[in-house]
Amino acid sequence: MRDNDNAPLEGEIVSEEQRHKPDTTMAMVIYALYLASFFLGFTSIVGLVIAYVYKGKGPAWLEEHYRYQIRTFWIGLVYGIVFSLLTFILIGFPLLLALGVWLIVRCVKGFKGLQEKRAPSNVDTWLL
């Protein structure tokens, strides 16, 4: 009987693709940490550090996720600072709400890409 960890049985032939299947767990954790920052605040910084640590340790499509996550943090920080300054003239409040939606959309887009084992689209954009 096979365990839940999908380890091959003795004598079972394992394809090269299965042997070197990239682990997407940390990339998923980073997206989850970004979303958790809505409640805890500091978790996005932890996610950023993890993204920098794991960058360069996977196939090209997974590398694009780490790059996407790093860019999401820094772009979100720039937007957050600018929008916070704009709260003094009241336009910043709806922009901060839009920033929250932007972050959620980027994380969902990233989760979907990880499940499909492909890079997120438009990694270089400042929008979605």
Side-chain angles (χ1 to χ4, degrees):
M1 186 171 207
R2 210 176 173 140
D3 292 338
N4 288 337
D5 63 353
N6 293 328
L9 296 173
E10 186 176 338
E12 184 177 10
I13 297 173
V14 179
S15 70
E16 191 67 26
E17 180 182 329
Q18 288 174 329
R19 189 176 302 134
H20 298 292
K21 186 177 179 184
D23 187 13
T24 60
T25 305
M26 290 314 294
M28 286 190 180
V29 166
I30 295 166
Y31 287 123
L33 287 169
Y34 282 2
L35 292 173
S37 69
F38 282 109
F39 305 104
L40 300 175
F42 66 91
T43 59
S44 60
I45 296 170
V46 175
L48 176 69
V49 170
I50 293 170
Y52 274 118
V53 168
Y54 278 84
K55 185 179 174 188
K57 297 182 180 178
W61 65 268
L62 189 55
E63 288 306 307
E64 287 296 300
H65 277 280
Y66 292 126
R67 190 167 152 251
Y68 185 71
Q69 292 165 335
I70 291 167
R71 286 181 54 81
T72 297
F73 177 87
W74 291 115
I75 292 168
L77 182 65
V78 169
Y79 281 157
I81 291 169
V82 171
F83 296 167
S84 294
L85 292 173
L86 289 173
T87 58
F88 293 113
I89 58 172
L90 301 180
I91 195 168
F93 293 110
L95 291 174
L96 285 171
L97 181 63
L99 177 60
V101 171
W102 174 84
L103 180 63
I104 291 168
V105 169
R106 283 182 69 101
C107 288
V108 168
K109 188 174 146 181
F111 273 126
K112 185 176 180 212
L114 283 172
Q115 289 176 338
E116 296 171 356
K117 305 263 188 280
R118 63 167 178 76
S121 58
N122 301 325
V123 174
D124 292 324
T125 185
W126 280 60
L127 301 175
L128 297 173

